[in-house]
Amino acid sequence: MTNLKPADPAPAAEATVTAAPAAGPARSGWRSLLPTMTPWLAIGLVLVAGITLFGLLGPLLVGDPRQIRDQGLTPPSAEFWLGTTQTGQDVLAQLAYATRGSLQIGLLVGVLATALSAFFGIYGAYRGKFLDDAFSLFTNVFLVIPGLPLVIVISGFVPRESRGLWTIAVVLAVTGWAASARVLHAQTLSVRQRDYVAASQVSGERPWRVIVVEILPNLLPVIASQFVFAVIAAILGEAGLSYIGLGASNSATLGTMLFYAQNGFALSLGAWWWFVPPGLMIALFGMGLSLVNFSIDEVINPKLKNLRQHRKRARRALRLERELARRSTQETDR
């Protein structure tokens, strides 16, 4: 029995030593720009990836969405998984093509709006002086203009036959970049004051190289968050425009599906399979992107990141304490 007592601290010390590396090495470099994998991020990635694959591969696996049949308003069945419209068109085929159209608009608007906000926000803040004042004034003008009425007015003046995906994408991008530009402007002003940026300027580096090499990598999480938000806003904005008849006239989108379902009195006729799938697709895709955006916010906001790390350390310490208490109880029982 006396030989067992000196061995008591050993498991505790060994557990303490082995528990120390459990925290893992600190994330550095490009890995620090990536969000931590969490259940919410995993759900968001699965939703976004699943809907994207459906939009890319779905049109290759379904029939012609414009084919008219004599089976109008057929409920979901083995032949038509999501039923048919008032004119007998397959809802599943329409949903596949409409999802692809909405994804195209979301991607186009995301790229265009992010490029505009990065140019006016980052370049103007770095150059400073008159150019920064001019860019800030231009950005503020777009900020105070109501976005939805401006989109409706611009779309209303464009002839219906000219309202394609690119036209709607440009309209949505022009009216949705200003808020992101203000955020990037503020972040660039903060990064511009750091020592390595000043060292690059003193060494005679060109402005474009300082922006691309020294400033832009520090703004990638912010830009990614703004891009995701622009995609969400674009899909919702296009759905709203299409619902009131101002969307893309020669393209199938989720908004045009809702528009034709409304004109076909789907709600009054109880044809839920006509309007629920596109609405649910918009909701699920928006939720997936929002979950991804919340995870990106942890990279941008140090408070959120430190809070999650603090919770992880607290849970790890609690597990270690319980393990030590369990081993101590076992030794006492012996």
Side-chain angles (χ1 to χ4, degrees):
M1 295 298 293
T2 56
N3 294 332
L4 295 177
K5 289 184 178 180
D8 288 347
E14 185 178 355
T16 306
V17 173
T18 55
R27 298 174 63 180
S28 59
W30 288 97
R31 290 188 61 189
S32 62
L33 301 179
L34 300 177
T36 305
M37 180 57 67
T38 61
W40 296 116
L41 177 59
I43 293 174
L45 291 176
V46 169
L47 287 175
V48 172
I51 295 176
T52 302
L53 287 177
F54 177 73
L56 294 176
L57 303 179
L60 304 177
L61 304 176
V62 297
D64 186 4
R66 295 170 294 183
Q67 182 180 355
I68 298 177
R69 304 175 181 85
D70 57 355
Q71 301 174 344
L73 294 181
T74 302
S77 61
E79 183 180 2
F80 302 103
W81 290 3
L82 292 180
T84 60
T85 65
Q86 200 171 28
T87 55
Q89 296 170 326
D90 188 4
V91 175
L92 179 60
Q94 289 190 348
L95 184 66
Y97 280 87
T99 301
R100 185 177 65 177
S102 292
L103 291 177
Q104 289 176 346
I105 286 185
L107 181 62
L108 288 175
V109 175
V111 171
L112 292 176
T114 303
L116 288 173
S117 61
F119 176 74
F120 287 99
I122 299 176
Y123 185 72
Y126 175 77
R127 299 295 294 183
K129 298 181 180 179
F130 173 76
L131 186 63
D132 186 20
D133 294 337
F135 281 7
S136 297
L137 177 62
F138 187 68
T139 302
N140 292 334
V141 169
F142 274 87
L143 272 176
V144 299
I145 297 177
L148 182 60
L150 181 61
V151 170
I152 294 176
V153 169
I154 295 177
S155 300
F157 273 100
V158 177
R160 181 175 178 80
E161 59 275 6
S162 301
R163 265 193 264 126
L165 286 178
W166 273 100
T167 305
I168 299 300
V170 169
V171 170
L172 293 174
V174 167
T175 57
W177 62 270
S180 300
R182 296 301 300 172
V183 175
L184 292 175
H185 180 271
Q187 293 291 330
T188 305
L189 290 178
S190 175
V191 175
R192 192 183 64 175
Q193 305 300 326
R194 298 182 182 177
D195 295 337
Y196 55 85
V197 177
S200 299
Q201 294 173 339
V202 172
S203 62
E205 296 288 351
R206 295 182 179 181
W208 67 266
R209 192 181 187 282
V210 176
I211 294 176
V212 173
V213 177
E214 305 295 345
I215 296 179
L216 195 59
N218 294 278
L219 301 179
L220 286 180
V222 183
I223 295 175
S225 177
Q226 300 297 338
F227 173 79
V228 172
F229 179 78
V231 173
I232 298 174
I235 293 177
L236 293 176
E238 185 279 329
L241 286 176
S242 297
Y243 189 75
I244 60 178
L246 296 177
S249 59
N250 56 353
S251 302
T253 62
L254 296 173
T256 56
M257 278 192 70
L258 293 174
F259 171 72
Y260 288 119
Q262 176 203 18
N263 286 354
F265 303 101
L267 183 61
S268 302
L269 297 175
W272 56 267
W273 57 86
W274 193 356
F275 60 87
V276 168
L280 186 62
M281 190 69 70
I282 294 174
L284 290 177
F285 192 70
M287 183 179 71
L289 289 178
S290 298
L291 292 176
V292 173
N293 209 9
F294 293 155
S295 300
I296 297 176
D297 286 341
E298 293 187 2
V299 181
I300 301 173
N301 191 346
K303 292 182 179 180
L304 296 177
K305 189 175 183 179
N306 294 336
L307 179 62
R308 180 174 295 276
Q309 292 177 351
H310 176 72
R311 289 176 177 174
K312 285 184 177 180
R313 294 192 187 100
R315 288 194 296 266
R316 191 178 297 113
L318 181 60
R319 288 195 299 267
L320 178 60
E321 183 180 352
R322 290 176 177 175
E323 179 65 20
L324 293 177
R326 184 182 63 83
R327 292 188 179 185
S328 177
T329 303
Q330 292 177 351
E331 294 295 334
T332 303
D333 294 339
R334 290 178 183 177

